[in-house]
Amino acid sequence: MNLEEAERPVETAAHVVEFELGDEVCAIDIDAVDSIVESKQVTRVPRAPDAVEGVMDLRGETTAIVDPREFLAIEGDAVSDNILVLDRADDKQKIGLRVAEVTEVASYPEPQVDTGEDVERIGTAAIEGDLVRGVIRKHVGEVDEDGNPEDVDLVLWVDIDSLIGAVDEGDVDGAQHR
């Protein structure tokens, strides 16, 4: 790397909240998150899609609680008290995502974020369903002088608008959910 490259600012491609969801690490844009709260009593709603656990009262507002694992085809335990409350202007009511644990807020430069054709080749249900914006290659451990990390963890960068759209439609794996 020469001096000219070192002085050039690195373009941030993803500024996200990372969380564990089942056996995976996922992320959504920080701008989509209002708060992180502990779950209270959730009341089941009749005829709601299975991914909608129900509703809870959050600061006097009815908040729908969604388990996104079903739409992202993620395995693992769902027992958790952590709710990511979303802040989306078009929502008629507050929506919260049940997550195992919020791990961090992070920013990633373009070279660490794969989108478009780079991601399409992976072929998971979430990617095929257009529920993922990309995959983030999170550097773990030391980085050598050439900028290569010791190890890399993959973080699924979820497209929250597409995910909530799928919940609204009750669409799982392209089939209408009953």
Side-chain angles (χ1 to χ4, degrees):
M1 175 186 321
N2 63 33
L3 184 58
E4 201 172 279
E5 290 172 336
E7 292 177 3
R8 192 173 25 177
V10 177
E11 188 79 23
T12 299
H15 190 62
V16 297
V17 174
E18 291 180 24
F19 53 91
E20 293 175 4
L21 191 60
D23 298 331
E24 299 291 330
V25 177
C26 299
I28 61 174
D29 289 323
I30 186 79
D31 295 340
V33 178
D34 177 63
S35 58
I36 302 163
V37 298
E38 286 188 16
S39 177
K40 299 176 184 172
Q41 180 178 351
V42 176
T43 304
R44 184 81 182 136
V45 177
R47 296 189 204 126
D50 287 344
V52 177
E53 291 182 12
V55 295
M56 70 180 218
D57 179 22
L58 179 63
R59 297 181 217 114
E61 250 184 296
T62 301
T63 303
I65 306 303
V66 174
D67 181 357
R69 293 175 313 129
E70 183 173 341
F71 292 93
L72 299 173
I74 292 176
E75 300 292 323
D77 194 11
V79 178
S80 170
D81 286 338
N82 296 305
I83 304 290
L84 273 176
V85 181
L86 303 180
D87 180 18
R88 297 172 356 118
D90 295 339
D91 290 338
K92 294 176 183 161
Q93 76 175 70
K94 287 281 189 185
I95 298 173
L97 298 181
R98 182 169 305 277
V99 300
E101 182 178 342
V102 177
T103 55
E104 69 179 297
V105 173
S107 295
Y108 294 98
E110 284 185 35
Q112 286 182 249
V113 180
D114 293 327
T115 58
E117 292 177 11
D118 294 334
V119 175
E120 290 171 5
R121 291 179 284 140
I122 296 173
T124 67
I127 291 169
E128 290 168 5
D130 292 326
L131 301 178
V132 175
R133 294 187 64 182
V135 175
I136 299 169
R137 287 179 275 117
K138 182 177 181 175
H139 295 175
V140 179
E142 297 295 318
V143 177
D144 66 20
E145 61 273 355
D146 294 328
N148 298 317
E150 193 175 294
D151 198 7
V152 173
D153 286 341
L154 298 180
V155 177
L156 201 60
W157 185 17
V158 177
D159 183 335
I160 196 63
D161 294 330
S162 295
L163 177 70
I164 298 304
V167 171
D168 286 344
E169 295 167 12
D171 188 19
V172 179
D173 295 329
Q176 278 299 327
H177 196 71
R178 299 187 206 295

